[in-house]
Amino acid sequence: MRTTLRAVRAVSARRVGSLATAKPALRTAPFLASAAAGFRVEAATALLQSCGRRNYSAAVTKVVRPTAEMYPEIVRDARFGELTAADVEYFKSILPESAILQDDQDLSGYNIDSMRKYNGQSRLVLKPRTTEEVSKIMKHCGERKLAVVPQGGNTGLVGGSVPVFDEIVISLANMNKIRSFDEVSGIIVVDAGCILEATDSFLAEHGYIFPLDLGAKGSCHIGGNVATNAGGLRLLRYGSLHGSVLGVEAVMADGTVVNGLGKLRKDNTGYDIKQLFIGSEGTLGVITGVSVLCPKRSKVVNVAFFGLDSYEKVQQAFVKAKSELGEVLSAFEFMDRESQIQVARFSELRRPLDEQHNFYVLVETSGSNREHDDEKLQNYLEGLMESEIIDDGVVAQDETQLKNIWTWREGIPESLARTGGVYKYDVSIPLEDLYLMVEDCRARLIEKGYEIGTEASNIVSVVGYGHLGDGNLHLNVAVKSYDKAIEKVLEPWVYEWIQKRQGSISAEHGLGFAKRPFLKYSKDQSMINLMKQVKEIYDPNGIMNPYKYI
Amino acid sequence: MPPRLNIVVPVKRVIDYAIKPRVNAAKNIVETNGVKFSLNPFCEIAVEEAVRLRESNKDLVESITLVSAGSAKAQDALRSGLAMGADKAALIECPGIDDSKLLSLEPLAVAKLLKAYVDKSGANLVIMGKQAIDDDANQTGQMLAGLLNWSQATNASKVDVAEDGTVSVTREVDGGSETLAAKLPMVITTDLRLNVPRYTKLQDIMKAKKKKTDKLSPADLGVDITPRLETVSLADPPKRVGGAKVDSVDSLISKLKEVGAI
Ligand SMILES: Cc1cc2nc3c(=O)[nH]c(=O)nc-3n(C[C@H](O)[C@H](O)[C@H](O)COP(=O)(O)OP(=O)(O)OC[C@H]3O[C@@H](n4cnc5c(N)ncnc54)[C@H](O)[C@@H]3O)c2cc1C
């Protein structure tokens, strides 16, 4: 290095890291491996390694009982055809060998969901590469009345992405090309199977951001996100997919390709049919392409994390955030004490706050002017300290700290999943009652004679966390193993509780298999009837993702 | 009772560790416009270690002083360090150095500045990063120890101060670790495993605003910082080409043959 200075830090950073551990790719590295390896900054948000099919062996390897056995009240629809050798022969004529999976071992990752709660019995997975192939598959399935399950990254949390009986799985994993990106408008057109994180990284290179972010980003597909109308961590800032998705291309139950890949921000020409696909969870057609309006990526991102002693104060902090951080506020996530204890069990990262608090809040700001944003955040935080709304807090000083702090929010689902099983309730309720639900739930379990968190008890923890900014609570009951009796204590009690407060029984995860019987707690009969009519029209034989949704 | 420690911690503001640096189109500087800068991770570890020495024994440490040489923006690095628990700071503002030219403040110049500052300050211990992650020189600490004629222990993964004032430093070396012991004064450079730096608390950020930062210039210290090296060219590391999936063993073999791997 005497005269030629090749001081390019990508190289040097790697050298720095190599001493302890190579720097794992952000948010895909398993949370533990990195921390265990020693260097503090490495750990990324992980996630999903324990859920996604890639890593089953590393996670819980307990056998997942077949859904059909667990829910004997659900019976196979006799109208559906049964898969024959001739069907497989036909698929072989339109798809390459590698796109057809029939081995038990290959199939299990597609039959079992990310929570390891549901286990289907599909004998066939098809992995088309083009819309045309999907169309040919659906035409054949339509004619033969073979039921199908469209599957994205299989990260869904309501059992919607896996078969119940012998439905054919249509995996979009091989449709993963970015079709086009317009640097001026920020409109991206992608295949449905593009992985959210990969798409976002592509956009980052161009100074844009995908308007959705969630813990499962390393595995979930854009098509899956649209199919579930996923909400996630930045809804507060960028709004719902109903606003940012500009167009959808889909293949219907009879193989018809619907080309709705509009790239227009404004288009008032008739019924906005694409909206039906957003959140349809594979029950109307297979989404094969999506166009999305992406915002510019913020140059300046700050994260603060603080501890509070009551839910009351969490709300006060939120009200102040809205008025004082205003346009730069991009996330306001809250977590309770129990949720952080669970993350700490598996993470070897340093906890942001050394002492324990009853509640924690993660605030993120995104803007374009560092001084302006820093000052706003600083004033906001000082105000919180002075008015004693918060007890303690930290501000990320660099990108690594920023990412590490996020793991304390994003790592919750994964750390809970490691306990064995999780009963997940994803609800919207008016803010003032939001946390009461967690307290009431704990009280109910105790009243019914269950212990929580003791050596002998099956229930490990009852935690609450969520997107407070959107009035969205995740109530999670983590158990060592799924137990019908516990389920019966929780359901329909949880749904009745929500109904009384005019809440939603599924704020963002959808209905899938798990929530279907409870739809009536959130929607009145007239609405349900309309939904049924829609389903009738688009999928008259009911082959699209049956036994679910409605 | 060991002598009380007056610790100087030199710190540097660098492009954030998590950000991928890019070379500009003219291939002469690393693009810094709109790029996030942070405290160099090794410097952060050094500040943390100084603060921990104080926390481990409240009588041991008399003062912790940060010093940074560079542009006025080096103030950010000082502010981060003050919020972690240092008492005061000094900024050696170097004319002609801005973000894009940070690399032209060479290790020897920095070592000379630090020597002059340390002489003036009456410090008996310097704890600093083993290297900055921008130029990766890993020279300043050693040069400083040489100029001061102090003991040095580089790449520290553990630091202990004994009752009699002996400082023992464990350092990672190829195939294991080595422990050195020396009397003060001394220069210690920090390695990754020394500690896990704390998050910065709000209260401490607020307190840091009230802490004092002295301003100095190279001229005040009588040091000439004219670069001795010339940057001939800068290049990005070669782009990694993405892998591809193959359908069968046969196609794998033919692909490997194609690229001459077998
Ligand atoms: C750790 C973790 C964190 C999460 N965080 C959030 C969160 O913050 N917010 C949130 O809203 N959700 C969250 N989720 C759940 C969320 O719904 C999914 O992660 C994601 O949106 C689903 O995408 P996927 O590609 O995995 O779809 P899958 O799980 O494969 O499928 C989900 C549903 O969509 C259907 N589907 C998938 N692809 C298609 C397609 N191409 N065409 C038609 N139908 C299709 C499936 O049939 C199924 O009904 C989280 C999940 C995990 C595991």
Side-chain angles (χ1 to χ4, degrees):
Chain A
M1 205 190 82
R2 178 138 299 150
T3 45
T4 314
L5 186 57
R6 287 215 190 144
V8 174
R9 236 174 25 106
V11 181
S12 62
R14 209 167 299 128
R15 213 180 314 146
V16 170
S18 67
L19 221 164
T21 162
K23 186 177 185 212
L26 176 65
R27 295 187 177 188
T28 47
F31 199 174
L32 295 180
S34 49
F39 184 25
R40 73 182 178 94
V41 283
E42 308 304 352
T45 10
L47 307 174
L48 262 226
Q49 298 278 322
S50 59
C51 315
R53 67 176 70 93
R54 290 165 195 79
N55 237 5
Y56 271 128
S57 54
V60 207
T61 39
K62 232 178 289 172
V63 180
V64 184
R65 279 179 63 196
T67 313
E69 220 175 80
M70 289 288 280
Y71 299 87
E73 66 278 15
I74 310 283
V75 288
R76 187 181 181 281
D77 191 330
R79 288 178 303 167
F80 298 150
E82 306 224 9
L83 187 69
T84 62
D87 294 317
V88 177
E89 275 316 303
Y90 173 74
F91 294 128
K92 283 187 177 159
S93 76
I94 58 170
L95 297 171
E97 192 111 7
S98 60
I100 301 173
L101 307 183
Q102 291 182 283
D103 285 359
D104 278 348
Q105 244 186 338
D106 292 342
L107 291 172
S108 79
Y110 298 83
N111 271 321
I112 300 174
D113 74 314
S114 68
M115 298 180 300
R116 300 187 63 79
K117 190 170 177 191
Y118 303 101
N119 189 355
Q121 298 159 38
S122 182
R123 307 300 317 150
L124 181 65
V125 174
L126 302 175
K127 301 175 80 173
R129 292 161 305 177
T130 62
T131 305
E132 214 195 335
E133 288 178 356
V134 177
S135 167
K136 284 182 181 155
I137 294 169
M138 286 315 303
K139 183 159 189 295
H140 181 82
C141 292
E143 282 162 5
R144 289 266 300 113
K145 292 202 175 65
L146 294 169
V148 302
V149 179
Q151 190 178 91
N154 194 13
T155 69
L157 299 174
V158 287
S161 49
V162 291
V164 177
F165 297 99
D166 58 347
E167 300 89 273
I168 297 170
V169 175
I170 301 180
S171 163
L172 281 293
N174 284 344
M175 286 189 67
N176 55 8
K177 295 208 177 44
I178 290 171
R179 296 191 194 173
S180 69
F181 176 62
D182 180 340
E183 296 254 7
V184 177
S185 64
I187 295 170
I188 192 167
V189 182
V190 295
D191 280 353
C194 284
I195 290 184
L196 174 58
E197 186 170 44
T199 309
D200 188 54
S201 304
F202 168 86
L203 288 165
E205 296 270 308
H206 298 268
Y208 282 85
I209 187 169
F210 200 82
L212 167 79
D213 185 20
L214 47 80
K217 63 168 89 48
S219 308
C220 66
H221 296 182
I222 307 284
N225 298 146
V226 172
T228 54
N229 186 25
L233 306 164
R234 305 248 151 72
L235 187 130
L236 178 68
R237 177 65 166 266
Y238 302 120
S240 108
L241 290 177
H242 280 296
S244 39
V245 172
L246 300 181
V248 168
E249 174 194 86
V251 175
M252 307 305 289
D254 62 358
T256 312
V257 178
V258 184
N259 182 1
L261 267 189
K263 288 196 258 178
L264 305 173
R265 189 104 199 247
K266 301 175 82 172
D267 177 22
N268 287 348
T269 51
Y271 299 120
D272 192 0
I273 301 289
K274 72 162 184 291
Q275 298 294 357
L276 283 178
F277 286 95
I278 303 173
S280 62
E281 297 181 48
T283 62
L284 296 183
V286 182
I287 297 170
T288 49
V290 184
S291 57
V292 181
L293 179 65
C294 302
K296 268 284 193 188
R297 204 174 192 91
S298 298
K299 289 204 192 81
V300 182
V301 179
N302 280 319
V303 166
F305 186 92
F306 41 82
L308 315 87
D309 76 356
S310 69
Y311 178 66
E312 191 64 45
K313 291 193 168 164
V314 173
Q315 292 178 72
Q316 289 170 10
F318 178 54
V319 172
K320 268 174 99 72
K322 280 195 295 187
S323 63
E324 291 173 26
L325 298 174
E327 79 289 353
V328 295
L329 180 63
S330 56
F332 193 101
E333 297 287 319
F334 92 104
M335 297 141 265
D336 67 4
R337 171 198 286 259
E338 270 60 39
S339 71
Q340 296 302 287
I341 291 174
Q342 291 306 315
V343 181
R345 281 178 65 196
F346 299 105
S347 171
E348 287 178 24
L349 287 179
R350 183 171 184 147
R351 287 185 75 155
L353 300 172
D354 296 329
E355 274 117 53
Q356 297 234 11
H357 301 269
N358 289 331
F359 292 91
Y360 300 87
V361 164
L362 186 160
V363 169
E364 184 191 75
T365 63
S366 307
S368 56
N369 181 327
R370 176 154 298 282
E371 265 129 53
H372 169 266
D373 290 13
D374 284 1
E375 190 184 319
K376 270 198 159 169
L377 183 64
Q378 197 62 41
N379 289 343
Y380 166 66
L381 296 171
E382 283 177 17
L384 291 180
M385 286 295 283
E386 272 152 23
S387 47
E388 292 180 2
I389 294 174
I390 63 178
D391 294 338
D392 203 357
V394 295
V395 182
Q397 298 295 306
D398 54 44
E399 291 294 302
T400 307
Q401 288 193 348
L402 188 151
K403 279 158 197 152
N404 287 353
I405 288 181
W406 263 114
T407 65
W408 290 91
R409 164 60 186 87
E410 290 188 292
I412 300 171
E414 183 184 359
S415 62
L416 292 172
R418 288 180 184 220
T419 61
V422 191
Y423 292 99
K424 282 181 176 283
Y425 304 98
D426 155 42
V427 309
S428 283
I429 8 182
L431 272 190
E432 69 271 18
D433 286 344
L434 204 65
Y435 199 72
L436 184 62
M437 167 147 217
V438 181
E439 289 162 348
D440 282 3
C441 181
R442 286 190 191 119
R444 178 172 169 87
L445 286 164
I446 289 166
E447 182 197 306
K448 294 282 172 189
Y450 288 95
E451 285 181 359
I452 301 171
T454 61
E455 191 79 21
S457 64
N458 187 11
I459 302 175
V460 178
S461 190
V462 177
V463 315
Y465 60 97
H467 317 297
L468 191 90
D470 317 326
N472 185 181
L473 170 81
H474 295 312
L475 162 66
N476 285 194
V477 180
V479 292
K480 289 176 190 153
S481 62
Y482 289 114
D483 173 0
K484 266 274 162 195
I486 295 177
E487 186 173 318
K488 288 219 170 92
V489 174
L490 295 169
E491 301 171 18
W493 174 83
V494 167
Y495 302 115
E496 286 163 359
W497 198 99
I498 296 161
Q499 187 181 35
K500 269 186 231 142
R501 289 160 183 85
Q502 277 96 42
S504 167
I505 62 156
S506 188
E508 57 175 19
H509 295 165
L511 296 166
F513 183 82
K515 307 289 162 74
R516 174 189 187 226
F518 308 107
L519 180 56
K520 61 172 187 284
Y521 291 96
S522 270
K523 286 274 164 26
D524 86 0
Q525 199 52 47
S526 62
M527 278 301 233
I528 295 176
N529 289 344
L530 270 185
M531 289 192 207
K532 286 197 165 138
Q533 286 172 23
V534 170
K535 172 78 177 167
E536 262 306 306
I537 292 169
Y538 292 116
D539 178 24
N541 294 322
I543 61 169
M544 298 301 308
N545 214 0
Y547 320 108
K548 295 167 192 152
Y549 201 73
I550 184 145
Chain B
M1 185 64 204
R4 300 201 63 189
L5 301 177
N6 283 297
I7 308 175
V8 164
V9 184
V11 294
K12 185 173 185 185
R13 175 176 175 270
V14 298
I15 292 181
D16 191 282
Y17 173 71
I19 289 179
K20 195 174 156 206
R22 281 171 208 279
V23 173
N24 70 344
K27 303 242 180 262
N28 56 3
I29 55 170
V30 173
E31 202 59 77
T32 51
N33 213 349
V35 170
K36 176 153 184 174
F37 279 72
S38 304
L39 184 57
N40 175 41
F42 292 104
C43 300
E44 200 183 354
I45 292 171
V47 180
E48 174 72 24
E49 194 61 20
V51 176
R52 284 191 189 191
L53 283 174
R54 167 177 284 158
E55 286 168 351
S56 71
N57 175 352
K58 70 177 174 10
D59 296 324
L60 182 63
V61 177
E62 180 157 336
S63 69
I64 301 173
T65 310
L66 305 175
V67 53
S68 188
S71 70
K73 288 188 183 151
Q75 189 83 50
D76 295 348
L78 295 173
R79 211 173 292 129
S80 303
L82 288 173
M84 287 176 73
D87 308 317
K88 55 189 183 349
L91 172 65
I92 307 172
E93 209 178 313
C94 300
I97 299 291
D98 61 33
D99 277 350
S100 63
K101 295 205 201 104
L102 280 178
L103 299 180
S104 58
L105 195 57
E106 291 164 7
L108 182 58
V110 177
K112 286 179 177 169
L113 290 169
L114 293 176
K115 152 141 175 51
Y117 182 78
V118 169
D119 279 344
K120 223 166 70 98
S121 70
N124 54 0
L125 178 63
V126 172
I127 306 179
M128 61 195 289
K130 69 168 183 182
Q131 70 196 64
I133 60 168
D134 49 7
D135 58 11
D136 265 359
N138 195 331
Q139 296 169 4
T140 312
Q142 293 87 324
M143 288 178 173
L144 175 62
L147 291 171
L148 286 166
N149 199 21
W150 287 10
S151 306
Q152 61 169 309
T154 55
N155 303 10
S157 59
K158 190 165 183 295
V159 173
D160 279 311
V161 181
E163 273 301 300
D164 66 352
T166 309
V167 182
S168 29
V169 173
T170 306
R171 47 199 308 270
E172 290 179 0
V173 292
D174 280 347
S177 64
E178 166 184 270
T179 303
L180 305 176
K183 292 265 191 228
L184 293 170
M186 102 188 254
V187 174
I188 297 172
T189 71
T190 61
D191 212 335
L192 290 178
R193 260 180 263 254
L194 181 57
N195 60 49
V196 180
R198 66 202 57 208
Y199 287 93
T200 310
K201 292 211 177 205
L202 284 176
Q203 302 91 302
D204 297 332
I205 295 176
M206 285 153 72
K207 274 191 225 149
K209 285 187 179 165
K210 301 198 185 86
K211 293 181 182 172
K212 212 172 125 242
T213 298
D214 286 334
K215 289 220 172 99
L216 299 156
S217 70
D220 295 339
L221 296 166
V223 175
D224 175 11
I225 59 163
T226 316
R228 299 171 166 219
L229 303 174
E230 184 195 348
T231 302
V232 177
S233 81
L234 276 174
D236 279 312
K239 271 221 164 59
R240 268 193 63 187
V241 275
K245 276 196 183 159
V246 288
D247 286 342
S248 62
V249 175
D250 288 344
S251 62
L252 174 67
I253 291 171
S254 66
K255 279 266 189 270
L256 288 172
K257 280 190 177 143
E258 234 171 74
V259 298
I262 50 172

